[in-house]
C-alpha cells in the first residue's frame, strides 16, 4: 500500500517519510511515546481526544540503516521499512512490538445453511462481528502468551485475548452478553502485556473501527477502520502503570470530582412527581442510610423538552431543590441531546434559527425520534453550538441543580440509525455522521462540562453514557443499561477495570441492575462491589421492582447500610486515590495485574480487584455462594479487613463469605485515612481523621499522603488544600514510630483530633503523654500542633 521507502527528513520532533505511493509521519512525543500517521483520507489532523498534545522536547536520533529508517530514543529503537512496517525494540534490543510480515489469513467460517447463508442470517438475524471493508488497518505480530486489556467498557473478560470488538457507539437494549461487539462507548485504546513488558496502542480514528486480538488468526492481532487516517500512538511501559500514565498524558486525566460525588447516589426512572422524590430523600435520613445524590430522570421535564421542567408535577422546582439541599442532597438531572420538534419551544426555535442542528446532505435539519417524539440533534462538533448548549446549562444551575446526566448520546434514535451522510460542521472541516458518530457523546459531555465550568464555581459533575477516548477530562461515565442479573454483576467488574485502564479513573455501573427485577441477595452482593466503585449509583428502570436500600427486608437494608457506611468511612481514601489519579492517570478500581504485574497468576483475574493500592476486594458474585477462593498476590502480606488475620501473598485461600460479608484484605504496610460515618458530605466538619495503620514487615517503612480541601471548587489548584503525611518507621525490635505531620496548610483549620488504630498486628499505642491503649484499640490524640509522634509496640 505504501511501497518502498524513498526518502525521509526530520523537522523538529517529526520525521517525514516518503514512500512510493504514500507519505507518513512519525512524531517522537516522549522517549516512550511515538505517534505514527499517514494521511489515507485527509491531510489535517484534528484529534478529538488529544486536544493539547504534550510539547515534545525529546532527544532522538534518526538514521538510514541499510534501507531502514531507524529512530532511537533513550527508551526505544523504532525501525521503519517498506510499506510503513514498524518494528519496535527496547534498549536491550528485545523486540517489543513488531508488524506482522505475512498476509492476513482470517479463519474460514464454515457452517452455512442449505441456502448457502449462515444459519444466523438464514434465520433473518444480522451476523455479529462482520467487519465492513477496512480502508485503514495495521497487523501486529501476536506472541502466544500476550494478554490484552483496555478498550473501554466492552463485555467479556478482563483479558481480551481471542476476542474481537467493534467501535461504534450503540444503544442496544437487549441484555448485554459476551458476544456483544459494541456498546455505548468507543475507546480505541488497547494494552498488550507480554512477559514483563507492557505497551499501549491508541488508534485515534473515530470511524467505525475494529480490534481483533487473535480471533481471526493466532499469529497476529489487528486494528483497523472503515475510513479515516492511519493514526496511532505507541506507548511503551514496560509497566502497565506507565502505559496508563502515558495514554492519559495524551488524552487527558480525570479531574478531581467534588467530594460528594464519591458518596452514595440514588437514581430511578423516575422519581416523579416531586412528592415521590421528597419521600425517598426523607426515607434515607429516617433510616440513617447515608446518601448524597438524587437523580431526576426524563419525567421531570415538560413533555421531554430539554431545559424545562413539568410545572404541574414539579411545581416550585427551585424550592424543591433548595429543600433537598438543606437536607444534604445534591440533585442531578438528565439532559438528552434530542430537541423536541415543536414550534414555539425556545430551544428548538433558537437552534433552528441559528443552524445549530445536524442536517441531511441538502442542508435540511435531520429529524429522527427519541423520547419527545420527533427531535433534532444539536451539532456539538461546532464550537458555536457547544457554547450555546453550554450556556443552556444555566437553566439547571440557576435552579440549584448540582450536575448533569447526559444520556442517549450515541446518539440513540428510535426510527432507525442516523444515515452515514448526515452532515456535521466538525469545527470547520465539514464531515459526515460516519466520522462523527463515535464522538457525538464526547462533544456533548464537553459542552456540558464547559457550561458548568463557566456558570458555576464548582467542579463540574457530568455523567455521560456515550463517549470517546479523552472524555474522561469532562465527564464520568456509567456502563448503561445493565440488568438485575448475576451475570451482569460479574461482568461489571472487568468492564470497570478495563475502563479504568482506558483513562476513566472515576466510573461506575447501575448498582442493583437497571432492567429486570432485582432480588434481595443480588442487591446485597452488588452494594458490596458498588461501595468500592468510585461512582456508587443505584439505578433501575421503570416498572421494575424498587431497589432502594430499604426496598426488600431488614437484612438487605442492614447490608446496604453496612456497605454504604463503609464507603463513607473510606471517603478520604477514595478522594486521595482520585487526587493521585489526576496526577498519574491511575484509576481507583484496579485490576490486580496493574499493581502486581510480576505475578503471572493475576493476569486473568475477573472477580477480584484493588481499590486504590491498599485494599483488595474479593466479592461474591454468585447466587447462594457463602465462601470463596481468594487469590492474594505475591509480593505482599495481606490482612483480613474483618478479622485482622495476616496471610502471605502468592496463595489461594478459602474465605467464608456469609451474605453480609464481602472479603476485603489490606496490604501490609499501608495506612488508610478514614472518617467517622456521616449521612452526607458536609454534614459534619472534617475535624477528625482516623488512621488505620497496617504495620509494615519488620525493618520496613509505611507511609501515606492525605489531601483535604473544600471538596467543591478549584481552589486547591491555587494552594487551597491541606496535605498530611503519615509515616511509620521501625524503632528497634517490636517497635515503630508513627509520625503524622501537616505538610501544607491552605484550607481551614484542618483536623483537630486523630484516631489511630493498628490493623493486623495487635499493637500498643503510646501517645506523647505516655498514655497506652490496649492492643488493637483505637487511641485518640489531639492534633493541635499539626504534628504528632506515637510509639507503636507490637
Ligand atoms: C436510558 C438510560 C437510562 C435511563 C432511561 C430513561 O435507557 O440508559 O439510564 O433511565 O434512558 O431516561
Amino acid at each position: 500500500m505504501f511501497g518502498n521507502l524513498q526518502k525521509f527528513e526530520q523537522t523538529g520532533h517529526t520525521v517525514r517519510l516518503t514512500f512510493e505511493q504514500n507519505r507518513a509521519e512519525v512524531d517522537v512525543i516522549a522517549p516512550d511515546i511515538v505517534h505514527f500517521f499517514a494521511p489515507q483520507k485527509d491531510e489535517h489532523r484534528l484529534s478529538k481526544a488529544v486536544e493539547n498534545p504534550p510539547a515534545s522536547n525529546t532527544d532522538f536520533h534518526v538514521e538510514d540503516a541499510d534501507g531502514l529508517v531507524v529512530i532511537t530514543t533513550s527508551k526505544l529503537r523504532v525501525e521503519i521499512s517498506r510499506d510503513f512496517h514498524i518494528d519496535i525494540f527496547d534498549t536491550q534490543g528485545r523486540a517489543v512490538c513488531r508488524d506482522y510480515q505475512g498476509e492476513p489469513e482470517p479463519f474460514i467460517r464454515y457452517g452455512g445453511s442449505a441456502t448457502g447463508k449462515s444459519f444466523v442470517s438464514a434465520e433473518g438475524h444480522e451476523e455479529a462481528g462482520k467487519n465492513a471493508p477496512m480502508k485503514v488497518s495495521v497487523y501486529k505480530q501476536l506472541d502466544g502468551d500476550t494478554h490484552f486489556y483496555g478498550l473501554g467498557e466492552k463485555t467479556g473478560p478482563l483479558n481480551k485475548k481471542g476476542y474481537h470488538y467493534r467501535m461504534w457507539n450503540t444503544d442496544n437494549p437487549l441484555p448485554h452478553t459476551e458476544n456483544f461487539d459494541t456498546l455505548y462507548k468507543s475507546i480505541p485504546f488497547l494494552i498488550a502485556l507480554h512477559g514483563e513488558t507492557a505497551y499501549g496502542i491508541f488508534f485515534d480514528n473515530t470511524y467505525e473501527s475494529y480490534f481483533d486480538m487473535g480471533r481471526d488468526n493466532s499469529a497476529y492481532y489487528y486494528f483497523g477502520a472503515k475510513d479515516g487516517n492511519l493514526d496511532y500512538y505507541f506507548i511503551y511501559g514496560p509497566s502497565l502503570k506507565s502505559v496508563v500514565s502515558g495514554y492519559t498524558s495524551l488524552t487527558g486525566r480525570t479531574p478531581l470530582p467534588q467530594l460528594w460525588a464519591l458518596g452514595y447516589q440514588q437514581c430511578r426512572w423516575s422519581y416523579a412527581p416531586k412528592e415521590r422524590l421528597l419521600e425517598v430523600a426523607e426515607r434515607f435520613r429516617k433510616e440513617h442510610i447515608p446518601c448524597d445524590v438524587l437523580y431526576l430522570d426524563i419525567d421531570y421535564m415538560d413533555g421531554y423538552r430539554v431545559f424545562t421542567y413539568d410545572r404541574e408535577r414539579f411545581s416550585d422546582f427551585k424550592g424543591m431543590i433548595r429543600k433537598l439541599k438543606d437536607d444534604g442532597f445534591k440533585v442531578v438531572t438528565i439532559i438528552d441531546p434530542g430537541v423536541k420538534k415543536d414550534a414555539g419551544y425556545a430551544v428548538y426555535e433558537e437552534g433552528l434559527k441559528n443552524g445549530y442542528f445536524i442536517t441531511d446532505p441538502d442542508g435540511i435539519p435531520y429529524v429522527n425520534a427519541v423520547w419527545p417524539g420527533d427531535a433534532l440533534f444539536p451539532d456539538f462538533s461546532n464550537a458555536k453550538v457547544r457554547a450555546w448548549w453550554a450556556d443552556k446549562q444555566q437553566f439547571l444551575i440557576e435552579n440549584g441543580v448540582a450536575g448533569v446526566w447526559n444520556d442517549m448520546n450515541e446518539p440513540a434514535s428510535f426510527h432507525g440509525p442516523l444515515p452515514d451522510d448526515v452532515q456535521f460542521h466538525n469545527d470547520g472541516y465539514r464531515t459526515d455522521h460516519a466520522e462523527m458518530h463515535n464522538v457525538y457523546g464526547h462533544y456533548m459531555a464537553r459542552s456540558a462540562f464547559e457550561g458548568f465550568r463557566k456558570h458555576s464555581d464548582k467542579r463540574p459533575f457530568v455523567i455521560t453514557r456515550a463517549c470517546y477516548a479523552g472524555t474522561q477530562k469532562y465527564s464520568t461515565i456509567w456502563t448503561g443499561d445493565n440488568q438485575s442479573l448475576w451475570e451482569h454483576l460479574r461482568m461489571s467488574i472487568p468492564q470497570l477495570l478495563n475502563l479504568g485502564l482506558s483513562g476513566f479513573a472515576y466510573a461506575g455501573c447501575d448498582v442493583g441492575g437497571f432492567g429486570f427485577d432485582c432480588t434481595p441477595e443480588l442487591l446485597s452482593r452488588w452494594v458490596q462491589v458498588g461501595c468500592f466503585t468510585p461512582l456508587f449509583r443505584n439505578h433501575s428502570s421503570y416498572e421494575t421492582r424498587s431497589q432502594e436500600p430499604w426496598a426488600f427486608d431488614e437484612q438487605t437494608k442492614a447490608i446496604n447500610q453496612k456497605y454504604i457506611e463503609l464507603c463513607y468511612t473510606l471517603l478520604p481514601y477514595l478522594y486521595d486515590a482520585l487526587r493521585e489519579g489526576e496526577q498519574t492517570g491511575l484509576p481507583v478500581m484496579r485490576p490486580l495485574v496493574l499493581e502486581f504485574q510480576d505475578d503471572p497468576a493475576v493476569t486473568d483475574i475477573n472477580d477480584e480487584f484493588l481499590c486504590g493500592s491498599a485494599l483488595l476486594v474479593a466479592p461474591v458474585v454468585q447466587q447462594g455462594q457463602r465462601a470463596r477462593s481468594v487469590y492474594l498476590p505475591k509480593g505482599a502480606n495481606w490482612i483480613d479487613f474483618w478479622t485482622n488475620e495476616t496471610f502471605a501473598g502468592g496463595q489461594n485461600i478459602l474465605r467464608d463469605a456469609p451474605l453480609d460479608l464481602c472479603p476485603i484484605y489490606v496490604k501490609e504496610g499501608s495506612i488508610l485515612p478514614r472518617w467517622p460515618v456521616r449521612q452526607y458530605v458536609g454534614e459534619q466538619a472534617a475535624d477528625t481523621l482516623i488512621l488505620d495503620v497496617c504495620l509494615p514487615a519488620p525493618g520496613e517503612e509505611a507511609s501515606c499522603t492525605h489531601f483535604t480541601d473544600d471538596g467543591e471548587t478549584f481552589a486547591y489548584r491555587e494552594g487551597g488544600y491541606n496535605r498530611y503525611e503519615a509515616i511509620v518507621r521501625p524503632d528497634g525490635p517490636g517497635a515503630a514510630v508513627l509520625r503524622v505531620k501537616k505538610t501544607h496548610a491552605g484550607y481551614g483549620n484542618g483536623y483537630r483530633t486523630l484516631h489511630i488504630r493498628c490493623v493486623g498486628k495487635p499493637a500498643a499505642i503510646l501517645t506523647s503523654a505516655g498514655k497506652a491503649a490496649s492492643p488493637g484499640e483505637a487511641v485518640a490524640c489531639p492534633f493541635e500542633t499539626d504534628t504528632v509522634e506515637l510509639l507503636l509496640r507490637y
Side-chain angles (χ1 to χ4, degrees), residues 38-109:
Q40 316 255 117
K41 183 176 169 73
D42 45 30
E43 285 292 326
H44 77 270
R45 310 189 209 173
L46 186 70
S47 175
K48 315 297 188 265
V50 185
E51 286 170 59
N52 301 302
S56 169
N57 46 14
T58 303
D59 276 341
F60 66 95
H61 178 73
V62 200
E63 63 184 330
D64 183 344
D66 293 332
L68 297 176
V69 172
V70 178
I71 299 175
T72 314
T73 73
S74 60
K75 301 240 173 100
L76 297 171
R77 174 184 163 92
V78 180
E79 294 185 359
I80 302 158
S81 55
R82 192 192 137 77
D83 280 336
F84 201 26
H85 267 160
I86 292 150
D87 293 324
I88 301 175
F89 303 84
D90 67 11
T91 49
Q92 317 281 307
R94 289 176 298 214
V96 177
C97 173
R98 308 182 74 141
D99 273 9
Y100 180 65
Q101 294 294 339
E103 281 301 309
E105 281 182 62
F107 67 84
I108 299 168
R109 211 177 267 284

Side-chain angles (χ1 to χ4, degrees), residues 227-262:
D227 211 336
N229 291 328
L230 195 164
D231 189 341
Y232 73 96
Y233 297 79
F234 173 86
I235 303 152
Y236 179 57
S239 73
L240 286 162
K241 284 187 175 175
S242 303
V243 175
V244 174
S245 202
Y247 169 71
T248 53
S249 75
L250 294 169
T251 58
R253 295 188 172 136
T254 301
L256 184 67
Q258 293 192 56
L259 182 57
W260 56 257
L262 302 181

Side-chain angles (χ1 to χ4, degrees), residues 168 358 366 368 377 410-413 415-422 424 433-434 437 440:
W168 187 251
I358 55 176
Y366 173 78
N368 203 313
F377 300 82
E410 292 69 34
S413 45
H415 292 165
L418 274 62
D420 273 0
D421 62 0
V422 166
F424 284 75
H433 177 239
H437 177 84
Y440 193 79

